[in-house]
């Protein structure tokens, strides 16, 4: 059995930012317009008036201050309320492949690895822009990697599940190197017209290069162990899919064709699931709370992360022990814990241990215990 290591990582961050205040102005204008258009139905009790959103609520409930998006013009236009993304010809790079490239290139450069030395590309994300050909195969062609590529989707846990899949392939000897890449265009599957969730998501792409540990050329993170688990739940769901046109009424503008969640239930059910999962993983690996120098958690909600950090460490995390990036990026689905890892890991000393953990729809939870090596 070989050992696997994360030898490179990278983040592509879109250039457009939407602050909570900008978002709320657009949402409130949309709500006012909708209420005016439906005034008769509202007065007759056939429809409920849309209430205003508020920046104070968003920050207090989530910890989010802003989000990066691929296009803010459509999102901030009360008559549109979705991103406008240019349609591309089949010969052009797709949207996801294009944003994946910058993250992958950064990961390869950090590890001093040429794309041709990579044996596999796993495009692990919570939504893919088309059914086929796989986005991973397109990324393979654009980068010039060898071997094979495939897409996978475990919603917000896609990155850690992808890391486990790549790690297992390296351990068994079937590949030497894999890029696990997470291009997340969450702005295109979020319902920006629903005040309960319109503030939740942002866009980003992350990538990690996983290599056979003995091939690492510089400082790296040895992957000591991985653990993945799923348990079916309907509390986070998106019903859009290829069967849509086979069902009457499904081609209409339906709420369930975008991201839906029962946020309170998710909160209550996912927290114990994740805390138990991490405790079990640490016990299996013989890692004690005092051994962990850093937690890179899924970035959905600050209160959730505070709770999990406290459960795992048995005390309030010190500043820097559990870095959050959600205040700047919002929830970026599978990419969140990898952004935190990418931005807050290079200062770690040889021998330091850390844990990456993602969780979300499915329900799904994935964790990776890494050790810094010189
Ligand atoms: N502005 C102002 N008020 C709002 C609002 C907004 N944008 N959105 C909701 N409210 C109101 C609600 O209507 C509700 O009012 P009520 O008490 O009169 O009924 C109140 O604020 C509380 O709403 P609630 O949805 O219960 O808030 P919350 O504290 O649960 O926070 C989330 C909402 C989504 C931030 C939180 O539930 C969460 O983060 N859940 C887990 C999310 C998660 O991890 N999802 C995974 C996705 S990958």
């Amino acid at each position: 059995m070989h050992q696997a290591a994360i030898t490179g990582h990278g983040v592509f961050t879109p250039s457009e930012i939407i602050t909570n205040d900008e978002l709320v102005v657009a949402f409130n204008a949309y709500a006012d317009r909708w209420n005016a258009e439906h005034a008769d139905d509202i007065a007759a009790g056939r429809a409920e008036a849309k209430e205003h959103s508020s920046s104070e609520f968003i920050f207090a409930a989530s910890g989010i201050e802003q989000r990066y998006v691929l296009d803010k013009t459509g999102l901030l236009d009360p008559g549109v309320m979705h991103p406008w993304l240019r349609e591309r010809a089949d010969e052009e790079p797709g949207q996801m492949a294009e944003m994946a490239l910058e993250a992958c290139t950064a990961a390869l450069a950090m590890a001093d690895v040429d794309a041709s030395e990579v044996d596999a590309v796993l495009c692990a994300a919570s939504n893919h822009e088309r059914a086929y050909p796989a986005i991973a195969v397109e990324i393979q062609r654009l980068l010039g990697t060898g071997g094979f590529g495939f897409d996978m989707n475990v919603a917000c846990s896609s990155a850690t599940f992808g890391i486990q899949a790549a790690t297992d392939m390296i351990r068994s000897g079937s590949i030497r190197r894999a890029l696990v890449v997470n291009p997340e265009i969450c702005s295109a599957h979020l319902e920006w017209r629903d005040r309960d969730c319109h503030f939740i998501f942002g866009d980003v792409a992350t990538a990690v290069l996983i290599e056979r540990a003995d091939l690492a050329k510089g400082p790296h993170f040895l992957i000591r162990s991985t653990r993945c688990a799923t348990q079916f739940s309907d509390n986070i769901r998106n019903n859009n899919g290829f069967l849509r046109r086979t069902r009457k009424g499904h081609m209409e503008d339906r709420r369930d064709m975008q991201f839906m969640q029962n946020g309170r239930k998710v909160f209550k059910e996912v927290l114990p699931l994740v805390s138990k999962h991490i405790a079990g993983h640490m016990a299996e690996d013989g890692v004690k709370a005092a051994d962990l120098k850093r937690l890179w958690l899924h970035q959905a909600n600050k209160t959730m992360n505070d709770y999990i950090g406290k459960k795992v460490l048995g005390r309030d995390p010190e500043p820097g022990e559990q870095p959050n990036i959600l205040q700047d990026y919002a929830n970026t689905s599978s990419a969140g814990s990898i952004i935190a890892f990418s931005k807050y890991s290079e200062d770690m000393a040889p021998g330091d241990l850390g844990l990456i953990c993602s969780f979300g729809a499915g329900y799904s939870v994935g964790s990776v215990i890494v050790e810094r090596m010189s």
Side-chain angles (χ1 to χ4, degrees):
M1 278 257 280
H2 300 285
Q3 286 192 301
I6 299 175
T7 58
H9 45 84
V11 179
F12 159 78
T13 303
S15 58
E16 301 195 9
I17 292 176
I18 299 181
T19 63
N20 287 348
D21 285 348
E22 283 177 291
L23 185 71
V24 165
V25 167
F27 178 86
N28 291 350
Y30 158 76
D32 291 345
R33 184 188 282 214
W34 192 93
N35 289 343
E37 280 166 11
H38 296 83
D40 290 347
D41 286 340
I42 293 167
R46 289 188 297 271
E48 251 182 60
K50 290 196 187 287
E51 292 179 75
H52 277 187
S53 183
S54 100
S55 296
E56 295 71 35
F57 170 86
I58 294 171
F59 181 67
S62 68
I64 296 166
E65 294 173 39
Q66 60 168 46
R67 66 283 298 139
Y68 292 92
V69 291
L70 291 176
D71 166 66
K72 65 189 277 187
T73 55
L75 295 173
L76 295 184
D77 181 341
V80 179
M81 302 296 275
H82 59 72
W84 284 123
L85 300 176
R86 182 178 64 81
E87 192 175 349
R88 288 148 187 251
D90 286 354
E91 311 77 63
E92 285 183 90
Q95 191 80 58
M96 286 179 76
E98 185 178 271
M99 61 199 283
L101 283 188
E102 193 172 314
C104 289
T105 306
L108 290 168
M110 179 182 273
D112 191 20
V113 165
D114 191 77
S116 61
E117 299 174 286
V118 173
D119 302 319
V121 176
L122 278 59
C123 180
S126 56
N127 233 320
H128 292 88
E129 73 183 79
R130 61 169 181 266
Y132 42 81
I135 313 294
V137 181
E138 187 184 3
I139 297 169
Q140 175 191 22
R141 186 197 55 166
L142 292 168
L143 284 172
T145 63
F148 59 90
F150 62 85
D151 292 350
M152 53 184 286
N153 175 356
V154 202
C156 287
S157 297
S158 298
T160 49
F161 278 57
I163 290 172
Q164 169 159 305
T167 299
D168 287 349
M169 286 187 264
I170 287 171
R171 284 189 178 138
S172 72
S174 66
I175 62 168
R176 292 160 305 162
R177 295 181 185 88
L179 275 165
V180 179
V181 54
N182 324 105
E184 291 286 5
I185 310 179
C186 300
S187 65
H189 52 107
L190 176 58
E191 180 51 89
W192 299 83
R193 297 169 297 180
D194 181 345
R195 81 164 184 158
D196 288 346
C197 68
H198 76 118
F199 54 89
I200 288 182
F201 286 117
D203 301 331
V204 81
T206 52
V208 290
L209 179 70
I210 305 181
E211 291 191 79
R212 226 171 62 195
D214 60 313
L215 299 175
K217 293 180 187 146
H220 55 275
F221 287 91
L222 185 73
I223 298 174
R224 285 174 56 118
S225 56
T226 60
R227 196 185 209 224
C228 295
T230 50
Q231 179 186 305
F232 189 73
S233 165
D234 268 324
N235 285 322
I236 313 172
R237 190 165 178 129
N238 182 333
N239 282 335
N240 201 3
F242 77 104
L243 294 181
R244 192 167 178 179
R245 69 171 185 161
T246 68
R247 293 167 180 156
K248 283 191 182 135
H250 276 230
M251 295 310 281
E252 286 158 19
D253 179 15
R254 284 174 47 140
R255 177 64 189 89
D256 65 327
M257 298 300 158
Q258 312 296 339
F259 167 85
M260 309 252 292
Q261 81 163 351
N262 188 337
R264 284 269 151 173
K265 275 201 173 159
V266 173
F267 224 104
K268 256 178 81 180
E269 293 173 5
V270 165
L271 287 178
L273 192 74
V274 173
S275 307
K276 207 171 139 204
H277 177 93
I278 295 177
H281 186 178
M282 286 167 62
E284 256 172 29
D285 194 329
V287 171
K288 304 238 173 346
D291 303 332
L292 276 182
K293 284 283 181 305
R294 206 149 298 172
L295 291 173
W296 301 283
L297 298 180
H298 176 50
Q299 301 286 316
N301 183 295
K302 183 174 181 306
T303 311
M304 269 174 132
N305 284 5
D306 290 347
Y307 177 96
I308 294 167
K310 196 169 176 177
K311 271 267 174 208
V312 172
L313 299 177
R315 58 177 169 78
D316 286 323
E318 299 287 329
E321 265 185 320
Q322 183 197 295
N324 279 335
I325 54 86
L326 61 86
Q327 64 281 1
D328 299 324
Y329 282 84
N331 184 343
T332 47
S333 196
S334 73
S337 57
I338 306 300
I339 306 173
F341 171 75
S342 190
K343 288 192 184 289
Y344 298 99
S345 58
E346 286 305 311
D347 62 316
M348 287 172 73
D352 282 355
L353 299 186
L355 181 137
I356 304 171
C357 182
S358 60
F359 44 86
Y363 295 132
S364 57
V365 49
S367 49
V368 181
I369 296 178
V370 295
E371 179 173 348
R372 183 67 167 165
M373 311 295 277
S374 50

